[in-house]
Amino acid sequence: MVFLEDKNLDMRRYNAPTLCTEVAATFVGDNGESPANRYICVYPVGDTCQSISPLNQCCDPITYPFLFPRGECSWNTGMEHVEERRTAKRTRVTQLQYYAYRLSQRNGFSILHNSELLEDICKHGIFGTVLAYIYVIEFQKRGLPHAQILQTLDSESKIRTKDDIDKFVSAELPDPCTDLRLFQIATKCMVHSPCGTININYPCMRDGQCCKNFPKQFKDDTEENVNGYPIYRRRATEPVQVGKYSIYNRWVVPYNPWLLKKFNAHINVEVCASVKSVKYLYKYVYKGHDAASVKIQKEGALDHDEILSFVEGRYVSAPEAMWRLNEFNLSHKSHTVVRLAVHLPQQQPIVYQDGQEAQAIERAALRKTTLTSWFELNKNDPSPHNISYSDIPQHYVFDKSTTNWKKRQCGGQNVIGRLPVVRILRYSFPNPFDSISN
């Protein structure tokens, strides 16, 4: 099995393995989901092939003997929760809960890392491999999990001037005489090219150019909002010798000194002054699952099917697998934004298909918008009279099926009402009495 590198693919999803070895799995499925059906065949001694269900409690001990060294049964559909974990909605153990429990480390013991268990397994010659729709492979690592975080500061803490930018973000190498530890971390973690030159093998390269626009130009002073981002100060100081390479400020990735010393890791910090930052964040979060383009070939074989040799697969690394087993959030949004309609009487937007304009108008006449429903709410109920239209989602929920506002039961503190910008044009008309006075 060979992983293919194609610059025509989205490298945020098909990024090539690097750094060190890792165990991972690839499989072919729809929309990144694992196949619903698996075919598992067992060959009993002296008998013909028999198929068993993946839900069979004997399936896992056969497939993963490391996890079941004594041949005990695994999860089954009838496994019930213990009394203290049983609820009205959930009385039985799910597969996810079962495997998370089996693989977790408790009191310093992990079934995957216990040396005595592995020694006992090897002594008795118990070993097994997985041959199903999943390919388990060991190769170079694709990279560590990371986060993309967009923070909105309150009005008193907003970064407004270039002096504020220089206070929080630096794109220069620190002085080793002033802060040696910060210098060591910055040269290790925040230099885009460790050798100080363009490397055509870097994943950021597109047609011989760095897509991140490194090396940057020298700049004596920070320049504020340029296409949504500042141009940070990068003074043309003497290069710094790091190992056998000379590094200039042109190669430094922007960072926050406090965060860098706190976490001793690559933390890129940018000051965002445009909606582009939000677009970038959502594009990154919803880019899709990790994928792999692989080629299956047999050494020395000349006769093979070219089409079937290439597989478009879903890629699951060990960190992602454990993250999902522990039911950690893959993404998180702190607030719900409710878009509120603003329009003139009988001028609300209508969506229709060609030739169905009359039907669309009839439907719109029977349905209220968030604005017209708010008027009706205030007409019939005195409770929301002191609540502005933009704040109404914090206290009421708009039911799209009935197009009515209903009293909210909980969660109002995490709801934001969003109003579109309305521009009011003011016209200046001549005073008709001016001609009389003149």
Side-chain angles (χ1 to χ4, degrees):
M1 173 180 284
V2 180
F3 279 77
L4 304 178
E5 294 186 26
D6 187 349
K7 291 187 177 180
N8 295 322
L9 299 174
D10 185 354
M11 296 308 295
R12 295 173 303 157
R13 300 178 61 198
Y14 295 84
N15 49 337
T18 56
L19 299 180
C20 58
T21 58
E22 175 184 270
V23 175
T26 61
F27 55 82
V28 180
D30 296 330
N31 298 322
E33 298 294 330
S34 58
N37 298 318
R38 288 183 287 166
Y39 297 96
I40 300 177
C41 297
V42 179
Y43 294 84
V45 178
D47 202 345
T48 59
C49 171
Q50 297 181 13
S51 297
I52 64 173
S53 168
L55 302 180
N56 191 308
Q57 60 184 354
C58 296
C59 178
D60 283 345
I62 296 174
T63 310
Y64 308 105
F66 273 1
L67 303 182
F68 306 91
R70 298 173 183 82
E72 59 269 32
C73 293
S74 67
W75 176 87
N76 62 79
T77 55
M79 184 175 290
E80 295 187 351
H81 275 298
V82 293
E83 190 66 34
E84 56 268 22
R85 290 192 49 100
R86 201 170 298 173
T87 64
K89 293 183 178 180
R90 179 69 67 184
T91 61
R92 301 185 187 277
V93 180
T94 65
Q95 274 188 304
L96 180 62
Q97 293 170 335
Y98 174 79
Y99 290 117
Y101 176 84
R102 291 285 300 183
L103 298 176
S104 294
Q105 180 173 332
R106 289 179 295 278
N107 299 324
F109 175 82
S110 170
I111 194 170
L112 290 179
H113 303 99
N114 187 264
S115 58
E116 294 181 4
L117 176 61
L118 293 178
E119 182 181 353
D120 185 59
I121 291 173
C122 295
K123 185 186 300 182
H124 293 85
I126 305 173
F127 187 76
T129 56
V130 183
L131 295 175
Y133 68 93
I134 296 180
Y135 305 100
V136 178
I137 43 183
E138 183 175 302
F139 61 100
Q140 291 187 325
K141 193 172 184 178
R142 296 162 64 94
L144 294 173
H146 61 281
Q148 298 282 335
I149 303 173
L150 176 65
Q151 294 183 335
T152 303
L153 305 179
D154 60 33
S155 57
E156 297 181 357
S157 304
K158 286 188 181 298
I159 300 176
R160 304 181 187 277
T161 66
K162 62 181 182 180
D163 292 334
D164 293 336
I165 296 174
D166 293 337
K167 180 181 178 181
F168 293 104
V169 180
S170 174
E172 298 179 323
L173 290 171
D175 186 354
C177 298
T178 305
D179 196 330
L180 179 60
R181 181 168 179 268
L182 180 62
F183 172 80
Q184 292 172 338
I185 299 174
T187 53
K188 179 183 68 174
C189 301
M190 303 310 298
V191 179
H192 185 70
S193 174
C195 60
T197 58
I198 289 289
N199 189 328
I200 60 174
N201 296 319
Y202 283 176
C204 63
M205 297 301 293
R206 300 289 186 276
D207 299 325
Q209 299 292 327
C210 174
C211 65
K212 307 298 182 183
N213 298 319
F214 281 94
K216 306 289 187 179
Q217 297 297 319
F218 286 122
K219 193 84 175 169
D220 290 333
D221 294 295
T222 296
E223 187 175 348
E224 297 176 58
N225 191 4
V226 178
N227 293 326
Y229 295 95
I231 297 180
Y232 302 101
R233 181 178 63 190
R234 299 173 188 271
R235 289 166 289 191
T237 57
E238 291 294 323
V240 175
Q241 196 70 21
V242 180
K244 60 180 180 179
Y245 300 112
S246 296
I247 305 298
Y248 294 85
N249 286 334
R250 299 178 67 186
W251 294 99
V252 178
V253 179
Y255 64 91
N256 175 270
W258 186 87
L259 288 175
L260 204 60
K261 293 176 68 175
K262 175 71 174 179
F263 295 100
N264 189 14
H266 175 89
I267 304 178
N268 178 206
V269 177
E270 302 274 359
V271 175
C272 304
S274 166
V275 72
K276 288 184 178 181
S277 59
V278 181
K279 292 181 178 179
Y280 166 78
L281 179 69
Y282 274 78
K283 178 182 71 173
Y284 209 103
V285 170
Y286 296 107
K287 66 182 176 63
H289 55 266
D290 287 339
S293 180
V294 299
K295 178 181 179 181
I296 302 173
Q297 62 185 22
K298 185 178 180 181
E299 293 185 1
L302 298 177
D303 185 16
H304 62 276
D305 192 319
E306 287 283 352
I307 298 177
L308 296 180
S309 295
F310 293 90
V311 177
E312 185 76 7
R314 167 78 162 91
Y315 179 95
V316 181
S317 63
E320 181 186 349
M322 291 307 300
W323 194 270
R324 290 179 179 273
L325 280 172
N326 288 299
E327 298 185 77
F328 296 148
N329 292 328
L330 294 177
S331 61
H332 174 72
K333 291 187 291 187
S334 61
H335 287 68
T336 299
V337 179
V338 178
R339 186 177 181 182
L340 300 172
V342 175
H343 56 83
L344 294 175
Q346 304 301 321
Q347 294 189 25
Q348 61 265 40
I350 299 175
V351 179
Y352 60 89
Q353 296 181 351
D354 290 342
Q356 298 183 1
E357 293 84 353
Q359 296 90 326
I361 293 175
E362 291 178 2
R363 289 195 302 268
L366 299 176
R367 295 182 61 84
K368 292 168 288 189
T369 66
T370 57
L371 181 61
T372 56
S373 181
W374 179 63
F375 291 148
E376 185 174 314
L377 175 67
N378 281 271
K379 179 181 178 181
N380 300 327
D381 186 357
S383 301
H385 286 182
N386 295 324
I387 304 174
S388 65
Y389 181 41
S390 60
D391 294 335
I392 200 69
Q394 299 177 13
H395 307 275
Y396 289 80
V397 177
F398 186 71
D399 188 342
K400 293 184 179 180
S401 60
T402 62
T403 62
N404 290 322
W405 288 102
K406 295 183 178 180
K407 191 72 174 179
R408 180 180 289 277
Q409 301 299 320
C410 61
Q413 68 277 8
N414 292 329
V415 180
I416 299 174
R418 177 181 178 271
L419 286 168
V421 177
V422 179
R423 290 182 172 86
I424 300 176
L425 301 178
R426 291 184 173 88
Y427 294 94
S428 178
F429 296 96
N431 190 340
F433 297 100
D434 288 344
S435 59
I436 299 175
S437 60
N438 293 335

